[in-house]
Amino acid sequence: MNVETSLALPAPFANAGADISIIQGAVPNVLSAQFTTHTRLQFDGEKALFKQALFGRFLLEKKGLITVDFPTTLTEPHAITATLGSGLGMMLHLRGNIPLHGIAIETHKGAIIILAESGCGKSTLATSLLLANINIFGDDIVALHQDSHGILNVHPSHRRFKLSPVQLEAMEIDTTQLSNTAPGINKFGWDIPLELMAKQALPIVRCIHLQPERLKCIQPKISPINQLESFTRLRKNVYRPRLIGAFKHEQQFFLLNQILQHQCKSYTMQLPEISQFTSYKEYGEVIASQLLAL
């Protein structure tokens, strides 16, 4: 999606011909009479109204308009976090283009998607791979699109990464110049350098599902999985999987799974404990060498 907005979103490069507009304005508390004011998500087939405690309300329209009603106390960095996450993630869902939760890296063969539920070490892995000079498509949301030949491609998204102070310190980034991603959250928003962003859409060649368990050895354990396990893990690793049911997109999810399994092999990956390495960079280089060899 090409986006037009007054917010200073950290795009990887300039795009012409925006098909999504984001504006700030009044958003109703109820989408239509069939919903109560206590429902966080309301959907009528063409529009979705979403309420988020930290950020306010979003009104999304399939035609390509997102209206945000942020509290006056919300800072611009927090508004950017909300827009890049809830706003654009839900717009992808609304349009039936189901996003995945994780990161994707660029290789000479194509894109490897690395998917994970929260708490599995995705941010640590992203930091380490960046330090190992691996190009990344974006943070948190993996945006997919099927091309005219039926191939699923990963598209570069945005440069804003959500990293902890420890991770930023490993990259020698001064956090005093950064803002946290949301009120009360101990992660900072940092725009990665352009040279570490993937420059173009690439076909998916491998799908990796991160395991939460850590290994005592210094090599990651990467194991192939069958189609049933791949399907189960993919469902869990959708960005906000409950939206599949809310937007009645079960058919689109099954199609996504079918295409992905036909296109590439799927694996689970257990990561080593980072404490066994001298640096995040060394950690990233070891993991990258295994991923690139698949």
Side-chain angles (χ1 to χ4, degrees):
M1 298 184 295
N2 294 333
V3 178
E4 181 180 48
T5 175
S6 60
L7 282 173
L9 299 185
F13 32 72
N15 284 310
D19 58 348
I20 299 289
S21 294
I22 302 173
I23 62 173
Q24 185 151 4
V27 171
N29 201 44
V30 178
L31 187 57
S32 69
Q34 62 180 304
F35 299 108
T36 71
T37 57
H38 302 293
T39 305
R40 286 185 63 207
L41 176 64
Q42 303 168 19
F43 176 57
D44 67 3
E46 291 295 322
K47 298 178 182 178
L49 174 62
F50 178 66
K51 304 173 188 177
Q52 197 169 37
L54 289 176
F55 299 122
R57 294 193 292 269
F58 299 77
L59 179 63
L60 301 98
E61 303 177 45
K62 277 186 181 180
K63 64 182 181 179
L65 179 64
I66 301 175
T67 305
V68 294
D69 195 350
F70 294 137
T72 55
T73 55
L74 200 70
T75 67
E76 182 171 71
H78 294 165
I80 289 172
T81 298
T83 302
L84 293 175
S86 299
L88 296 182
M90 290 190 67
M91 179 58 85
L92 286 166
H93 267 290
L94 185 62
R95 290 183 158 191
N97 191 2
I98 297 170
L100 303 179
H101 186 214
I103 61 174
I105 65 171
E106 182 181 67
T107 78
H108 66 280
K109 298 176 184 177
I112 296 177
I113 58 175
I114 305 171
L115 309 177
E117 297 181 77
S118 297
C120 286
K122 178 178 63 63
S123 294
T124 297
L125 180 59
T127 302
S128 305
L129 292 173
L130 287 168
L131 285 167
N133 291 315
I134 299 295
N135 287 0
I136 294 186
F137 285 81
D139 181 52
D140 218 30
I141 296 177
V142 178
L144 310 178
H145 187 263
Q146 192 175 8
D147 67 18
S148 58
H149 302 289
I151 303 298
L152 272 177
N153 290 271
V154 181
H155 286 251
S157 54
H158 59 78
R159 296 166 49 213
R160 179 66 51 91
F161 276 60
K162 300 186 290 292
L163 300 176
S164 71
V166 172
Q167 292 155 359
L168 289 162
E169 182 182 345
M171 304 188 77
E172 300 182 347
I173 304 300
D174 181 7
T175 58
T176 62
Q177 304 302 313
L178 303 177
S179 170
N180 64 346
T181 56
I185 301 298
N186 192 32
K187 281 197 171 185
F188 291 84
W190 175 61
D191 297 347
I192 71 169
L194 274 173
E195 59 267 23
L196 290 176
M197 277 292 297
K199 302 302 186 294
Q200 61 184 0
L202 289 176
I204 302 169
V205 294
R206 296 288 184 269
C207 177
I208 310 288
H209 297 274
L210 278 187
Q211 299 271 61
E213 302 85 4
R214 294 293 175 267
L215 299 171
K216 297 301 182 182
C217 58
I218 60 170
Q219 292 290 339
K221 181 181 178 182
I222 302 176
S223 306
I225 55 177
N226 61 37
Q227 291 189 345
L228 179 58
E229 185 176 358
S230 176
F231 170 82
T232 303
R233 290 183 180 276
L234 188 69
R235 181 63 181 254
K236 290 180 179 178
N237 289 331
V238 166
Y239 181 79
R240 298 198 174 165
R242 291 182 182 179
L243 293 179
I244 296 174
F247 291 157
K248 304 184 186 333
H249 286 158
E250 294 287 352
Q251 185 175 351
Q252 286 94 326
F253 173 74
F254 281 106
L255 180 60
L256 167 66
N257 174 72
Q258 184 179 21
I259 296 169
L260 186 61
Q261 294 208 27
H262 177 75
Q263 184 169 318
C264 70
K265 293 181 179 179
S266 294
Y267 303 81
T268 58
M269 181 166 68
Q270 285 180 265
L271 297 172
E273 290 280 2
I274 194 167
S275 59
Q276 299 179 107
F277 296 82
T278 59
S279 66
Y280 275 79
K281 182 179 180 182
E282 182 191 15
Y283 186 65
E285 288 172 345
V286 168
I287 296 167
S289 67
Q290 295 291 312
L291 291 173
L292 298 178
L294 287 175

